[in-house]
Amino acid sequence: MQAQRFFRATPHIHIFLTIAASLALLLLVMTPLPGQASSILLRSDPPADKLLLTAPSEVHLWFSEDLNSAASTVMVQNAEHRRVDLRTYASGHELVVPLQSPLPPGVYTVSWRTLASYDGQTLTGAFSFGITGPDGALPQGANLAGVDNAFGATPLASGQLDLASVLYGLMQALLALGATFWVGTLFSRAFITRKQASTEHQAIREREERLFEQKLAQPLLILLLCANVGLLFSNSLALAQVEGTQVIPSAIQLLTTGGFGTYWLLQQFLLIVALLLPAQTTPDANDAQYSRSSLLTWGRLALGCVLLLLFALSGHGASTTINGSPLLGLGSDWLHWLGTAMWVGGMFYVAWVYLPALRDQPPLTQGKALLNTLGTFSPLALTGLLLLLVTGPFNSSLHLQSWEQLLSTPYGRTLIVKCLLLGILLCVGAVQDLLIRPRLNRDYKKIERIQVEAGEETKERFAADVSKKIERQVEHATRTLHTLLRWEALLGVTLLLASSLMSVYAPTTAPAQPASSTGTATKTNKLFQGSMRTEDQQFNVQLTISPNRIGPNTFTVHVLDKQGQNAKNIQVGLAADMVEMRMGATLLTLQPDNKGNFSGTAILPMSGLWQIDVHIRTTDTTQHTASFRIQTS
């Protein structure tokens, strides 16, 4: 019933929504989908489609975003589709999987499935590498072409849209529209409406209050709650299709692992709190309830800003590290949300709340109220626009690595459409701000001057005729202003639809793996080499860890006595424990090679700061310890 009354109060809303839906369809048509696009895999070791002279001991993959370690995995298969991989280790942006050793010559397919830790999107991909025989050639019949993805290709990874990704884009659009409208309303009420405390605006403010509080506030929050549930469902559907499980277990996995589930629950909690807050009243400036109403206004605005921060935390910006820190990408994403709420959300509020509130007022009163409101709204809108102009190019640069990607990727083409819509919106705003409003303001000043100067009886009739002519001009300008404001809000809707489509395509724009000129795998991690005396100063311990990264590592210890000679008649072992988490020490007994070295292999399952304690036991059963701290990536 509330929705029906709102549509009756805004007679043109059906036309505008129809046009918005048409423009959204046009937007999809203007971004044709290619056959292939880059996935979020940045590079790999071994490189894709390369021939190796020696068999690798592991496969190491680097991705563009933090991964959910519980649901991201790698599978390596030989030409007969038999698996040759061991357990997958995930940490941050990386996946490492040890291989059975030694691998015979042949072609091997690496299939990977990733679940983004922050936005919950699932992607898969595959590539192959070959191991040559002693003569430098592949076995007869082996071919690097025709890679089969063991997890099944997700359409989004190849630039296509399936049911899950379409649903994801739709929910993102609803979230963007609902959050922008709601938070934009809170900004408008905090910085615009509460400044209009004059008696002549009191009736308009009360009608405006009833329209929003009774007909829009709760439906908007309920829309956000439902859209957030739909977002969880779309991500769960994509994960279930890849894992071959049901949607509900996939949803539970999303909520209990990774950052997406944490921020999703916090968003729902915040929206429920906002729903439970009492409706706001419109007290006079001298009313005893003014302080309570003001506190409620600023409290709601704070909740809205926190909600936008949670959206930024569960987006692509939070997973982008710049100079080793995600704060710059996160901050830019949050400021972009705030700028959208200030500018586009404010336009929504003016077009779909404030204009219907003026409906029963005389045209002259409508025009004067609009001039007052838009004059107060302009600084807020300009602030939001500046935030968008600064953060928009920066956020896009995180996904586009070259100008060619503007035309070669769906993300880039959608960005072009968004920029065109933004240009049209700026032109409409310029017409309103530079032509219509100044002309309307001059007409009001003429009416006021005529009313002051028309004191003599001989001038009254002439003044009345001139005044009526100017009033007709004011009415025409006011109607034009109404139309422009509604078109601005409509263009704002299409702008948010374009942004939502960009969020769907964002994981497809990571640069492809760079080509390597050599046929052997390249190592980017530096091995650890350090020297430390034992606590009792009896031995000098030299420790080497290779390759010093997550997954299997070889630990080599060389022990010298006080005279600098190789220590004899000793046993060497070590304990590896992660400093930040204290998961329990990994114990390893090192084996001698009769050349003064003791070595062994152990797995470091996570990147971070590790403490390595080397224990030396002599024939008198005395234990001597040397402690090292290493940073593993």
Side-chain angles (χ1 to χ4, degrees), residues 63-83:
F63 295 86
S64 60
E65 297 187 14
D66 278 344
L67 305 177
N68 185 321
S69 59
S72 301
T73 188
V74 180
M75 183 184 302
V76 184
Q77 295 175 307
N78 60 17
E80 289 75 32
H81 300 289
R82 288 197 295 267
R83 296 187 63 170

Side-chain angles (χ1 to χ4, degrees), residues 139-203:
Q140 186 175 2
N143 189 354
L144 287 175
V147 176
D148 292 326
N149 188 343
F151 294 106
T154 53
L156 184 59
S158 57
Q160 306 297 317
L161 291 176
D162 61 349
L163 175 61
S165 53
V166 168
L167 184 60
Y168 177 86
L170 177 61
M171 293 303 106
Q172 286 282 19
L174 291 177
L175 284 172
L177 286 170
T180 300
F181 195 174
W182 185 58
V183 181
T185 296
L186 301 177
F187 272 111
S188 299
R189 297 169 69 79
F191 291 97
I192 300 175
T193 305
R194 298 190 67 79
K195 293 183 180 180
Q196 302 172 349
S198 59
T199 305
E200 60 180 327
H201 290 107
Q202 188 68 18

Side-chain angles (χ1 to χ4, degrees), residues 226-237:
C226 295
N228 226 11
V229 173
L231 187 67
L232 174 65
F233 177 78
S234 67
N235 285 340
S236 304
L237 181 61

Side-chain angles (χ1 to χ4, degrees), residues 538-615:
Q538 296 297 312
F539 296 97
N540 184 25
V541 179
Q542 299 171 356
L543 173 64
T544 301
I545 305 175
S546 176
N548 187 27
R549 61 186 178 190
I550 59 173
N553 285 266
T554 299
F555 297 82
T556 303
V557 173
H558 190 81
V559 183
L560 302 176
D561 59 21
K562 284 185 177 182
Q563 288 74 34
Q565 303 297 320
N566 291 340
K568 298 179 180 179
N569 300 320
I570 59 173
Q571 295 177 339
V572 181
L574 61 80
D577 193 9
M578 194 169 189
V579 175
E580 292 95 339
M581 301 185 64
R582 295 299 181 188
M583 301 181 297
T586 298
L587 303 179
L588 177 63
T589 301
L590 304 183
Q591 302 299 322
D593 62 357
N594 299 321
K595 297 180 182 179
N597 296 321
F598 297 79
S599 62
T601 301
I603 292 173
L604 298 179
M606 297 183 66
S607 61
L609 185 62
W610 287 81
Q611 178 165 324
I612 310 296
D613 294 328
V614 178
H615 303 298

Side-chain angles (χ1 to χ4, degrees), residues 95-106:
L95 292 177
V96 176
V97 54
L99 302 176
Q100 298 174 10
S101 181
L103 290 180

Side-chain angles (χ1 to χ4, degrees), residues 57 136 164 167 179 217 231 253 334 416 423 426 545 550:
S57 61
L167 184 60
L231 187 67
Q253 185 177 24
W334 183 51
I416 293 175
L426 291 176
I545 305 175
I550 59 173

